[in-house]
Amino acid sequence: MRPSAANEWQLAHDITRDNMAPYYRSLGREWDTALYRESWPTTENITIEHSGVVVGFLRLTQQPPAMYIRDLQIIETARGLGLGSYAIASAEQLARKQGIDTIRLRAFASNPAIRLYKRLGFAPLSEIAGLVTLEKQLSR
C-alpha cells in the first residue's frame, strides 16, 4: 500500500464505478463521475498493489471522533487474497496513531463484503435506503 498519485483518480474511479455498478442499478441510482472527481482531493487516497500491479484503492476521511472508510475497492481478480483485511487493518493502525478510536463505513446492504466487515469486528449501526452504516471501536 502506498499513497495514491493525484493522477490515479481515473483508475480509482473506474474500479469503483465498475465494482459498484450492480448496487447502483439495483437501487435505481446513477453514477456521478464529477462527484467522484471532486471528492478525490478531499480524501486520503491509498493505492493497493499486489505483485507490482494496482489492484485497488482505500479512501479515508477523518471526522473526529471517527475515521471513515469512504471506499475500499479491490478488483475482482484480486479478491480473496486478504487485501481487504490488510487495508482495514492499515486504516485501524492509522486511526490509532492519530488518536481516533472509531472507524465507520457504509456499504450497500446486498454487498457480500459486509460479512468481512462483521468478521473484522464492525457492527451495524443503521440501514437507510439500502445502505448499511457499520462501526468498529478500536482498542488502544
Side-chain angles (χ1 to χ4, degrees):
M1 293 180 52
R2 62 170 172 75
S4 299
N7 66 354
E8 286 185 296
W9 84 267
Q10 185 70 55
L11 179 57
H13 164 273
D14 293 350
I15 291 171
T16 303
R17 181 200 57 216
D18 294 350
N19 283 351
M20 296 295 99
Y23 306 111
Y24 272 70
R25 275 193 303 273
S26 72
L27 294 175
R29 293 180 174 204
E30 294 288 325
W31 180 258
D32 188 339
T33 295
L35 181 64
Y36 190 93
R37 177 144 171 80
E38 290 170 17
S39 75
W40 182 259
T42 69
T43 57
E44 182 172 353
N45 305 302
I46 300 165
T47 300
I48 302 167
E49 294 181 336
H50 181 66
S51 299
V53 176
V54 174
V55 296
F57 291 88
L58 173 65
R59 301 181 66 212
L60 305 168
T61 59
Q62 296 175 34
Q63 293 175 292
M67 176 176 284
Y68 288 81
I69 297 175
R70 296 297 179 187
D71 267 322
L72 174 52
Q73 302 295 331
I74 307 288
I75 62 172
E76 189 172 352
T77 57
R79 292 182 196 151
L81 301 174
L83 299 170
S85 296
Y86 181 79
I88 290 172
S90 297
E92 291 175 9
Q93 183 179 29
L94 182 61
R96 281 187 193 96
K97 282 183 183 176
Q98 296 176 8
I100 296 172
D101 61 6
T102 303
I103 295 200
R104 293 187 185 132
L105 59 84
R106 287 191 320 174
F108 287 98
S110 59
N111 189 334
I114 289 176
R115 289 191 307 270
L116 168 67
Y117 305 141
K118 288 180 178 178
R119 190 175 79 239
L120 294 176
F122 286 81
L125 292 178
S126 64
E127 182 176 342
I128 300 171
L131 289 169
V132 178
T133 299
L134 299 106
E135 178 180 278
K136 180 176 181 180
Q137 295 295 318
L138 305 176
S139 58
R140 295 242 175 194

